[in-house]
Structures are given as structure tokens and as C-alpha cells.
Amino acid sequence: VRLLMEQAHSTARNILTHYHEVLDNLAERLIADETIERDEVERLFATVTPWTSGPLPTVATNGAVDGAI
């Protein structure tokens, strides 16, 4: 069980670290306006590829996703 928890923690940390800019943008927007509409959330997360397993995709500085799953 401990190994599974450590692996899940590592995976979650990697995902959050990988997409920290997207999450920072979301936080800034919420701080500014407290609420945002669905289309704005979709725009903010447009560069995020849903992750199911395997290596994380690489996000280029221009927002292009390389190695998307």
C-alpha cells in the first residue's frame, strides 16, 4: 500500500509541476474575479492534455503539446 501511495503522490506532484503555469493562470484569474465562466476555464486549460498513464506530455512555450496521449 505504501508503494502505491508513494507512486500516486509522485505522479500527482509531477502533473501539478508540469502544468504549474496553467494552474498559476487559473489562480490569478480567480483572485482577480473570484468566479470565471466555463469558456474561460476551457481557454485556460486548452494546452492541457488529459493524462491517463505513462509519461507526461511536453508543453512547448508556444502552447503546442508534444507527445500528447
Side-chain angles (χ1 to χ4, degrees), residues 26-67:
L26 175 63
E28 288 174 12
R29 187 76 164 90
L30 288 170
I31 288 169
D33 295 332
E34 295 185 15
T35 59
I36 57 176
E37 298 295 325
R38 178 184 178 146
D39 61 331
E40 180 70 7
V41 172
E42 289 174 350
R43 187 188 67 76
L44 289 169
F45 280 83
T47 62
V48 175
T49 302
W51 180 83
T52 55
S53 65
L56 293 173
T58 302
V59 178
T61 55
N62 67 359
V65 178
D66 180 38

